[in-house]
Amino acid sequence: MFNKRIKIKELLAAEPQQQQVTVMGWVRTFRNNQFVALNDGSTNANLQVVLELGKFDEELLKRITTSASLKVTGTVIPSLGKGQKLEVKAETVEILGDSDAEAYPLQPKKHSLEFLREIAHLRFRTNTFGAVFRVRHSIAFAIHKFFNDKGFVYLHTPIITASDAEGAGEMFRVSTLPFDKTPRDENGAVNFKEDFFGRATNLTVSGQLEGELGATAFGEIYTFGPTFRAENSNTARHLAEFWMVEPEMAFCDLEDNMNLAEEFIKYIIRHAMEHNREDLEFLAQRLADEEKQLPQDKRSEMGLLEKLEFVLNNHFERITYTEAIEILLQSPAYKKKKFQYEVKWGIDMQSEHERYLVEKHFKKPVIVTNYPAAIKAFYMRQDDGCEPGRETVAAMDILAPGIGEIVGGSQREERQDRLEQRMKEMHVPAEELWWYLDTRRFGTVPHAGFGLGFERMVQFVTGMGNIRDVIAFPRTPKNCEF
Ligand code: 4AD
Ligand code: MG
């Protein structure tokens, strides 16, 4: 058997008792022809492997270069070196794969995140990305655990669909039609009847509509999968391909929905704090170092761990959209004309407005509810008793410091007539969504759900400023490498 190895994380937690072990990993550094810092990805901490002088071949020693892969068997002994309790005294060293140190792009020095994005195939081997992706994994695991423990059914909704769940028209077309000889119908329009599925199809922007079908049978479901948006947004929080978690609950109103979302976010943070302490401490230090470069007024008031702790220990502020606009209109920022975009009832709040509410005014996560119907999707439940011209829906967005919108959700319009009316007004084709409308015909129930942007959540927990640095291979406008 080849893989009789101990992972370095496990080994570093053990006591040095002269035990024989085999470790495998990649060389981070090799000093004085004696000391190898070996990393196997299980932790950022390297294992010190000591090669006794004179014991190993010159030829072999020359091949121990940065990023070469090694199999080492030896004895675990107490370490005299600083900052480590044990090390491995090598008996045999086998080079599994050589690495040309001159050509290897990752030098043992600080590289910029921008540069590392260009070598995303190797960046997992850095401490920063090692930590980020272990935390990302841990959060994904926590999400499944949270819902599983509550009895939600994990529903796999389709990636290819024929509908636009959000009605925003930001879809990637899926087609096998030839580009040069597209079949046309009698009106000259592309004839999708000849396409693979016999109709126009696209990559999903959200699994919600199918999620509602599941919720109205299982009671509570969640989805967790990739979603795609062809929005041309080149920002630090938009991806063309991102992962979304969408719970959907029958017998649930807007308040239940908010309670679940808040509990969920706190659960994720707590899980990461408990299971990824070492990586979070590393990321906190990284962020603190990065912020030292910034002018005083641009630095965060709290360190990463402090911020996470603070979120855990405080209620999310809950305000209506109308109250949010009022706060903005009363703000010094507005009075001093600091906002670039207009503020008035009915606007789709811009990121500067959301940031003001969260970072300046409340200084904590904020749930904004009851948005104007005109700026929200067709499926949201219409609020009763609105002033004419000020129609709102039972929507809720959660805004997080440094991130902006992290969750978007709502209570759904369960009343068939109201839903059909709204679809007509918003030009959503009812005949294509006949199956969705069936849930309202056959035992409709009050129900609600939300979508959490997984990468934005990972950004929040890791403190990474750019969403491209929390997904392995980011897809953004004009960029699809790897
Ligand atoms: O607010 P959104 O568009 O809501 C929905 O799709 C609903 N169907 C969710 C539901 O109620 N089941 O998206 C939900 C979340 C946003 O709050 C944001 O965190 C994230 O998905 N998101 C993005 N993340 C990265 N890149 C993008 N382009 C994103 N667009 C939305
Ligand atoms: Mg939204």
Side-chain angles (χ1 to χ4, degrees), residues 166 229 348 354 375-376 379-380 396-397 405-409 451 456:
E166 292 303 300
R229 303 233 173 141
D348 202 356
E354 297 179 344
I375 56 168
K376 288 291 184 187
Y379 51 71
M380 297 192 180
M396 63 121 180
D397 277 7
E405 181 190 334
I406 195 164
V407 158
R456 291 191 187 170

Side-chain angles (χ1 to χ4, degrees), residues 310-422:
F310 179 83
V311 170
L312 281 184
N313 294 328
N314 285 281
H315 288 300
F316 293 6
E317 197 68 38
R318 297 179 184 194
I319 56 167
T320 64
Y321 169 90
T322 303
E323 287 163 348
I325 294 294
E326 211 38 56
I327 291 170
L328 292 174
L329 288 173
Q330 298 301 328
S331 69
Y334 178 78
K335 290 181 179 153
K336 288 188 204 140
K337 301 199 171 19
K338 288 263 176 67
F339 293 130
Q340 195 187 334
Y341 294 90
E342 190 185 18
V343 180
K344 65 170 195 208
W345 200 95
I347 59 157
D348 202 356
M349 279 191 275
Q350 298 292 320
S351 132
E352 58 176 354
H353 306 136
E354 297 179 344
R355 296 193 82 128
Y356 179 84
L357 289 172
V358 170
E359 288 158 29
K360 293 265 169 5
H361 191 83
F362 289 111
K363 297 180 192 281
K364 59 175 172 164
V366 177
I367 313 184
V368 182
T369 62
N370 309 93
Y371 281 82
I375 56 168
K376 288 291 184 187
F378 70 92
Y379 51 71
M380 297 192 180
R381 193 176 196 280
Q382 297 156 53
D383 290 328
D384 298 315
C386 296
E387 233 180 90
R390 286 216 167 189
E391 287 78 14
T392 56
V393 286
M396 63 121 180
D397 277 7
I398 303 187
L399 314 178
I403 307 285
E405 181 190 334
I406 195 164
V407 158
S410 71
Q411 184 172 338
R412 318 307 186 188
E413 183 53 85
E414 84 283 11
R415 299 161 295 189
Q416 189 186 352
D417 53 337
R418 302 287 295 264
L419 180 60
E420 285 180 355
Q421 169 73 25
R422 193 75 193 126

Side-chain angles (χ1 to χ4, degrees), residues 23-223:
V23 289
M24 300 187 213
W26 294 267
V27 175
R28 282 282 170 91
T29 57
F30 185 33
R31 287 185 297 120
N32 301 346
N33 256 354
Q34 266 188 96
F35 304 107
V36 180
L38 197 69
N39 189 282
D40 70 358
S42 59
T43 162
N44 270 348
N46 299 323
L47 174 71
Q48 171 145 291
V49 175
V50 184
L51 278 59
E52 213 178 304
L53 282 173
K55 185 175 160 109
F56 296 90
D57 233 39
E58 274 304 315
E59 277 314 298
L60 179 100
L61 295 178
K62 266 193 220 146
R63 291 170 62 201
I64 303 179
T65 54
T66 299
S67 209
S69 48
L70 306 186
K71 174 179 180 182
V72 176
T73 300
T75 322
V76 186
I77 56 170
S79 177
L80 300 175
K82 264 209 298 256
Q84 57 204 11
K85 121 181 127 177
L86 56 79
E87 60 193 30
V88 166
K89 191 168 156 226
E91 266 128 47
T92 64
V93 175
E94 189 187 327
I95 311 258
L96 298 174
D98 288 288
S99 169
D100 177 354
E102 298 283 292
Y104 186 57
L106 277 176
Q107 297 303 319
K109 63 161 199 182
K110 206 168 157 46
H111 292 291
S112 73
L113 294 172
E114 288 78 13
F115 170 72
L116 292 173
R117 246 169 255 151
E118 288 168 20
I119 51 162
H121 60 307
L122 294 172
R123 66 179 177 169
F124 298 129
R125 298 187 190 188
T126 63
N127 285 339
T128 296
F129 289 92
V132 166
F133 284 95
R134 279 188 298 271
V135 172
R136 180 179 165 117
H137 156 76
S138 182
I139 293 178
F141 187 82
I143 287 168
H144 285 296
K145 181 152 169 49
F146 178 82
F147 289 117
N148 182 62
D149 288 354
K150 285 188 179 292
F152 283 55
V153 169
Y154 178 28
L155 190 67
H156 296 97
T157 51
I159 306 280
I160 300 174
T161 78
S163 52
D164 179 3
E166 292 303 300
E170 294 169 331
M171 298 171 299
F172 286 101
R173 168 87 61 219
V174 173
S175 173
T176 54
L177 291 177
F179 282 115
D180 44 355
K181 289 192 257 25
T182 30
R184 303 274 164 179
D185 63 16
E186 54 277 16
N187 303 321
V190 176
N191 186 3
F192 286 105
K193 286 207 180 79
E194 291 193 25
D195 206 346
F196 188 92
F197 295 105
R199 62 194 298 181
T201 51
N202 52 271
L203 295 177
T204 185
V205 295
S206 155
Q208 180 197 317
L209 301 190
E210 291 89 352
E212 287 184 51
L213 310 180
T216 49
F218 296 108
E220 294 174 325
I221 65 95
Y222 70 106
T223 73

